[in-house]
Amino acid sequence: PNTAIQLRFIRWDINGADAFYVYYADSVQTAADLTLYNSTQDLLAGEIVSESESGALTIRFAGSYNSKLNTGWEVEVSCHALTALQLDSVVVSNASAGVATKGSTDVPMLQIAVCLSGDRGSIQVGQFNLTGMSDDVTPVLYYTGSGNTFANTTAFDAHAPLTRKGTYYYWAALNIDSDAQEGVHTLACESVQIDGIAVSPQQTALASLDIIS
């Protein structure tokens, strides 16, 4: 189908023991695709669009028996015209702390944000064209999904295609040789391969790092 059910929240004030379940299906399933609580953030700032093949969406509200009265929830239900998933931008930012010692590993240098919009399809992120490294440092890449804080838990080589809109974060870090030359080293990202095509960042940054003993 070319359309899918969309929810837009107008009011969101439920009890702490309440739960709002969303199923990307035409009936309640064993497990919900989304579970929303009173603490769920940013509901009023966006929409929820069904990701089911049919475009169907089912909601279930589990209210609690509590003496505290909340104003409840109000949601606008509409039919959303589906669009193809597409690349909006590649934004490179400086993530360097400015100084590191010889022998340091996983020193963050660049944050590379890949921003997607649309509803259906897939986009494959491939190689990163990094420039500016010297022979005594080794670049490494990490992926933190939608989290915009650096972590070295998931090394990036190549992963499954991205299938949802949003901003996805990649990080270029350096492993520094124990006998690296002291002084300022730089790193830049000239392009990112998206679906096999080299895409230049809309915003670039040159990260610098002073290597000391």
Side-chain angles (χ1 to χ4, degrees), residues 20 44-45 54 74 76 86 91 139 171:
F20 188 102
L44 301 181
S54 67
E74 181 179 358
E76 176 186 85
Q86 65 179 11
V91 176
W171 305 82

Side-chain angles (χ1 to χ4, degrees), residues 142-144 149-154 171:
Y142 291 100
Y143 173 64
T144 56
T149 302
F150 174 74
N152 60 357
T153 52
T154 304
W171 305 82

Side-chain angles (χ1 to χ4, degrees), residues 18 28 36 50 53-54 56 89-90 99 108 116 125 127 130 136 140 142 144 163-164 167-168 177 190 204 210:
D18 298 341
V28 171
L36 312 177
S50 173
E53 293 270 337
S54 67
S89 64
V90 176
V99 63
L116 308 181
V125 177
Q127 295 180 342
L130 302 176
D136 43 12
V140 287
Y142 291 100
T144 56
T163 58
R164 293 183 177 181
T167 302
Y168 299 88
D177 291 351
E190 298 293 331
T204 62
D210 188 10

Side-chain angles (χ1 to χ4, degrees), residues 106-130:
D106 296 332
V107 180
M109 292 287 284
L110 295 172
Q111 179 198 77
I112 305 163
V114 175
C115 308
L116 308 181
S117 64
D119 304 295
R120 297 288 191 271
S122 63
I123 288 180
Q124 181 68 63
V125 177
Q127 295 180 342
F128 291 73
N129 180 18
L130 302 176

Side-chain angles (χ1 to χ4, degrees), residues 58-127:
T58 300
I59 62 175
R60 180 171 69 89
F61 178 66
S64 61
Y65 296 96
N66 195 299
S67 58
K68 180 183 177 183
L69 294 178
N70 296 69
T71 59
W73 55 270
E74 181 179 358
V75 62
E76 176 186 85
V77 182
S78 61
C79 199
H80 174 78
L82 296 172
T83 59
L85 195 68
Q86 65 179 11
L87 175 70
D88 277 352
S89 64
V90 176
V91 176
V92 180
S93 303
N94 187 351
S96 173
V99 63
T101 58
K102 295 180 180 182
S104 297
T105 59
D106 296 332
V107 180
M109 292 287 284
L110 295 172
Q111 179 198 77
I112 305 163
V114 175
C115 308
L116 308 181
S117 64
D119 304 295
R120 297 288 191 271
S122 63
I123 288 180
Q124 181 68 63
V125 177
Q127 295 180 342

Side-chain angles (χ1 to χ4, degrees), residues 165-190:
K165 66 181 178 181
T167 302
Y168 299 88
Y169 293 93
Y170 303 81
W171 305 82
L174 292 180
N175 289 337
I176 304 169
D177 291 351
S178 58
D179 57 351
Q181 181 180 351
E182 295 183 22
V184 176
H185 295 243
T186 62
L187 187 67
C189 179
E190 298 293 331

